Amino acid sequence: MDLNFNKNEDHNKLLVSELKNRLAKVKLGGGQKRIDKQHEQGKLTARERIAYLLDEKKPSIEIGAFAGDGMYEEHGGAPGGGVVVKIGYVKGKQCIVVANDATVKAGAWFPITAKKNLRAQEISIENRLPIIYLVDSAGVYLPMQDEIFPDKEHFGRIFRNNAVMSSMGITQIAAVMGSCVAGGAYLPIMSDEALIVDKTGSIFLAGSYLVKAAIGESIDNEELGGATTHCEVSGVTDYKAKDDKDALDKIKNIVSKIGDYNKAGFNREKAVKPKEKQEDIYGIIPKSRAEQYDMREIIKRLVDDSGFEEYKEGYGQTILTGYARIDGWAVGIVANQRTLVKTTKAKTKPSEMQFGGVIYSDSADKATRFIANCNQKKIPLVFLQDVTGFMVGSKSEHGGIIKDGAKMVNAVSNSVVPKFTIIIGNSYGAGNYAMCGKAYDPRLIVAWPSAELAVMSGNSAAKVLLQIETASLKKQGKEITEEDETELYNKIKERYDRQISPYFAASRIWTDAVIDPLDTRKWISMGIEAANHAPIEKAFNLGVIQV
């Protein structure tokens, strides 16, 4: 191992350590005092409920752990967006579980809470996965009601999705394990089956204080909307549980009886671990995002037996395409190559160098053809992003880079096989789009701690913004010294660097998670298993493209 490898390894292991520390903080939710209060009330926390419900010896992945990170500070913050979402197994069946975290503002809904819940439902819909709601929420966070209540992708969309999912035959089970008030009361009752925990669970459109104020009726919350009322009088709920564990046991029993699903039929063989040492990834990914490295070395450490059958190896070399297996599943890999490569356009032309991480016309053309092949063969696609964008300049423009880039974007957009995106390093500009960014409906999209998401790099953006800022100040008659420029540049770059962090993206659910690179195989494998629940019903069609 060389010195550079060791420096990279130290840097990336520190990033993973930071990731684990951040996750540990998120898992505390609203803090230990509020966790203790939950226990005093005889209730488990959201994470304890999920842990009890999911099969202990089976893997699980968490969606949106960093949702709300650094947001709503003026309101006291919303760790995890006040809700925990995991994909795991209940009695051997893959499910998605959504649990309100009552330690965060009593489980109240912030704007990001709605976005995270909608993402959970989107995953359920795309993959036909059963979904389980563990409800314990005070409803909409009123100081921000204007940002969560009326729009298409706001709170009401969740109930609309409940209805649509039911019509699609997607199993929905809800357990009311605490408060369930106002509009939020519709979520469990629009599910297929609803449970309620005695004495701690309650459902009503308006609580006792509001009822007294509105119509003058005096009644306590338990009589108004407790477990006995809704299981024996109103018939709103289907099962009464004596405590949290009893409710979760009942859910397990219900799920255990769900019939098998129609499979998409993705190819899978017995899983084999990579031959190459996976931990070497830490030493391969460079500390500086400007440095080069060979993406093939990363692929060898992600795929079964380190086997990668490359497609068009000598053509369009700034994108690697090829077939492999991950945890037994057949996959097609589209990856940005980050080394300088030699290419010869024709026998009469000398070899020239292409920059790594840049998409050229030939690499876009190759990727388009490969994506079409995977769709024809019903092979899921895995995108490994480390892209600075498309090549610019007169040579590329005259060569039709926009046309070739558009073909690749077209293929990604119209792909009918499931897509999974791993952001390893840079994810800049239109390169993010062509390599299946969030806007292109990957089934799951995650980032490594080394990732950066932005229109352009921090240095480039800061220089552009600095030019605009100094020009504006000079127009106002202000004299700008070299020291002023340096100070302004550093201020702009600091702000921009904060925005390109993978945690900034994860907090806004532009990605589903920031993960340890060594968890990548698990995420892709569980993602394909989820996608296998949903048979492909649409033929691949590129539509109209410029040839």
Side-chain angles (χ1 to χ4, degrees):
M1 298 297 177
D2 60 19
L3 182 60
N4 200 44
F5 182 97
N6 292 335
K7 286 181 178 178
N8 292 339
E9 186 177 42
D10 289 345
H11 173 73
N12 286 304
K13 283 186 174 180
L14 282 172
L15 291 181
V16 171
S17 178
E18 180 193 2
L19 166 63
K20 290 176 179 177
N21 289 336
R22 283 174 173 258
L23 281 171
K25 188 177 178 182
V26 166
K27 287 177 181 179
L28 284 173
Q32 191 59 50
K33 286 185 178 179
R34 292 193 176 116
I35 291 172
D36 293 341
K37 187 177 179 182
Q38 282 272 105
H39 292 159
E40 288 167 11
Q41 294 171 343
K43 295 159 66 175
L44 300 174
T45 65
R47 290 185 178 277
E48 289 167 344
R49 288 165 177 167
I50 292 176
Y52 185 85
L53 179 64
L54 295 182
D55 295 347
E56 191 176 355
K57 294 182 180 179
K58 298 278 275 183
S60 65
I61 54 178
E62 183 169 354
I63 305 295
F66 292 112
D69 183 51
M71 301 167 67
Y72 316 124
E73 296 300 324
E74 67 277 22
H75 298 280
V83 64
V84 183
V85 176
K86 284 195 176 185
I87 300 175
Y89 301 84
V90 178
K91 293 293 184 180
K93 289 183 171 61
Q94 198 176 39
C95 302
I96 186 161
V97 185
V98 180
N100 299 114
D101 186 350
T103 70
V104 179
K105 288 283 191 297
W109 289 59
F110 286 78
I112 200 67
T113 317
K115 188 173 183 178
K116 187 169 174 178
N117 275 265
L118 288 170
R119 176 60 180 143
Q121 289 184 322
E122 180 182 38
I123 291 170
S124 174
I125 290 167
E126 286 180 332
N127 299 291
R128 307 295 193 273
L129 274 188
I131 187 167
I132 298 164
Y133 307 100
L134 306 180
V135 184
D136 191 349
S137 171
V140 167
Y141 183 61
L142 289 177
M144 301 188 75
Q145 65 85 28
D146 60 319
E147 297 181 46
I148 188 175
F149 172 66
D151 208 350
K152 181 179 178 180
E153 298 298 327
H154 283 178
F155 194 52
R157 187 76 172 183
I158 291 159
F159 314 134
R160 175 263 185 196
N161 286 350
N162 287 143
V164 170
M165 291 161 73
S166 184
S167 73
M168 294 171 67
I170 297 170
T171 298
Q172 299 177 85
I173 301 168
V176 179
M177 310 179 85
S179 297
C180 183
V181 301
Y186 288 104
L187 185 146
I189 310 311
M190 293 189 74
S191 299
D192 302 325
E193 294 186 86
L195 305 84
I196 187 168
V197 178
D198 195 23
K199 300 297 185 285
T200 56
S202 58
I203 311 172
F204 34 66
L205 296 181
S208 56
Y209 292 119
L210 185 54
V211 167
K212 175 70 174 176
I215 63 172
E217 181 183 3
S218 295
I219 189 170
D220 64 45
N221 283 339
E222 183 63 27
E223 187 181 353
L224 181 66
T228 300
T229 295
H230 286 310
C231 286
E232 299 177 15
V233 180
S234 72
V236 165
T237 50
D238 306 308
Y239 307 93
K240 180 162 74 170
K242 61 183 180 181
D243 56 27
D244 280 9
K245 288 185 177 180
D246 185 39
L248 297 168
D249 285 335
K250 290 180 187 297
I251 293 173
K252 291 180 186 182
N253 289 333
I254 294 168
V255 172
S256 71
K257 297 172 180 65
I258 297 173
D260 204 359
Y261 55 90
N262 295 326
K263 296 174 178 63
F266 302 123
N267 184 278
R268 192 180 198 185
E269 294 181 354
K270 185 178 178 181
V272 180
K273 290 184 178 180
K275 276 184 183 177
E276 302 291 339
K277 188 179 177 184
Q278 292 182 68
E279 288 80 4
D280 286 350
I281 288 172
Y282 298 136
I284 295 168
I285 297 295
K287 180 178 178 180
S288 167
R289 300 306 317 125
E291 287 182 26
Q292 304 288 306
Y293 65 96
D294 188 351
M295 182 64 84
R296 288 186 184 90
E297 295 303 315
I298 298 294
I299 293 171
K300 287 178 186 177
R301 287 157 177 83
L302 294 178
V303 302
D304 289 15
D305 204 34
S306 298
F308 182 50
E309 188 178 347
E310 200 161 338
Y311 171 84
K312 288 185 178 289
E313 181 179 354
Y315 177 70
Q317 295 179 63
T318 63
I319 286 184
L320 304 177
T321 52
Y323 303 103
R325 289 189 182 276
I326 293 178
D327 199 34
W329 295 104
V331 296
I333 294 175
V334 181
N336 302 112
Q337 176 59 299
R338 280 304 307 268
T339 61
L340 286 166
V341 293
K342 279 189 176 182
T343 180
T344 304
K345 297 296 182 184
K347 290 180 181 179
T348 56
K349 290 185 178 180
S351 294
E352 59 183 38
M353 299 302 292
Q354 289 189 343
F355 296 102
V358 179
I359 302 175
Y360 290 78
S361 285
D362 53 358
S363 48
D365 174 63
K366 177 173 81 171
T368 301
R369 293 183 185 212
F370 181 71
I371 290 166
N373 279 343
C374 288
N375 274 271
Q376 186 182 52
K377 295 178 177 70
K378 203 159 76 171
I379 300 173
L381 286 159
V382 174
F383 292 82
L384 303 178
Q385 281 197 16
D386 194 345
V387 57
T388 52
F390 285 88
M391 191 59 189
V392 297
S394 60
K395 188 174 181 180
S396 291
E397 297 293 358
H398 297 169
I401 185 66
I402 295 176
K403 177 179 67 177
D404 291 319
K407 284 192 288 187
M408 183 177 173
V409 170
N410 197 314
V412 172
S413 302
N414 287 300
S415 180
V416 296
V417 294
K419 300 167 291 193
F420 302 90
T421 301
I422 314 297
I423 304 173
I424 290 174
N426 302 326
S427 181
Y428 297 155
N432 169 282
Y433 301 160
M435 291 296 293
C436 198
K438 182 66 182 288
Y440 294 81
D441 297 326
R443 295 294 176 95
L444 294 172
I445 177 170
V446 298
W448 289 1
S450 50
E452 293 184 354
L453 291 81
V455 173
M456 61 182 76
S457 71
N459 283 329
S460 299
K463 287 173 184 176
V464 172
L465 293 168
L466 178 65
Q467 289 174 12
I468 295 169
E469 188 76 17
T470 53
S472 175
L473 291 170
K474 285 175 182 177
K475 276 185 181 180
Q476 297 171 29
K478 295 180 181 177
E479 187 178 337
I480 306 297
T481 65
E482 191 174 323
E483 289 78 12
D484 290 336
E485 279 200 7
T486 302
E487 185 182 346
L488 192 54
Y489 171 83
N490 290 333
K491 186 177 178 182
I492 292 169
K493 189 174 183 303
E494 183 183 350
R495 183 180 71 237
Y496 197 86
D497 283 346
R498 189 169 63 252
Q499 293 176 355
I500 67 178
S501 158
Y503 298 103
F504 189 90
S507 70
R508 287 147 181 81
I509 318 183
W510 301 343
T511 62
D512 291 315
V514 182
I515 68 167
D516 184 335
L518 302 187
D519 287 333
T520 304
R521 282 171 54 84
K522 178 177 75 170
W523 274 79
I524 294 171
S525 177
M526 287 190 66
I528 297 175
E529 184 180 347
N532 206 35
H533 286 71
I536 297 171
E537 299 169 348
K538 182 182 174 184
F540 177 65
N541 187 339
L542 275 178
V544 178
I545 59 170
Q546 294 280 351
V547 180

